Amino acid sequence: MNAEQLREVVTDTELSPYARLIWVHLNTAAEPQNSNSLVEELGFSRATVSRSVGALRGLGLVRRHNGVWRPETGRRPSWT
């Protein structure tokens, strides 16, 4: 993640503050994160994590691989 990518996501008003925090956390966490670990580590409800990850996934900012969420940078769909 570079400064431009960080700024783009952190200032994206289409994303909730929760989604933005989850994306930053996924980019900086020492260990791979699944939905359960995001709930535990960030203290968000399961519904909030699910909704936020769904929004990030819809924008091409995360993908699920082997049960964990991986950040995707610079791959936002052209229609956004």
Side-chain angles (χ1 to χ4, degrees):
M1 162 179 57
N2 64 37
E4 182 179 329
Q5 292 164 331
L6 177 63
R7 187 173 28 262
E8 180 181 340
V9 173
V10 171
T11 60
D12 186 339
T13 57
E14 292 182 29
L15 290 171
S16 72
Y18 298 107
R20 291 181 243 169
L21 287 170
I22 287 171
W23 186 82
V24 169
H25 183 73
L26 290 173
N27 275 278
T28 59
E31 298 290 325
Q33 302 288 298
N34 61 30
S35 294
N36 290 333
S37 63
L38 290 170
V39 167
E40 291 174 18
E41 291 191 25
L42 298 175
F44 299 159
S45 70
R46 291 190 189 287
T48 297
V49 168
S50 177
R51 192 170 36 252
S52 299
V53 169
L56 292 166
R57 188 177 188 182
L59 292 174
L61 293 169
V62 297
R63 69 180 171 92
R64 191 171 181 162
H65 181 70
N66 292 332
V68 296
W69 293 105
R70 305 259 184 216
E72 294 287 309
T73 54
R75 295 185 57 180
R76 295 178 65 129
S78 60
W79 46 265
T80 60

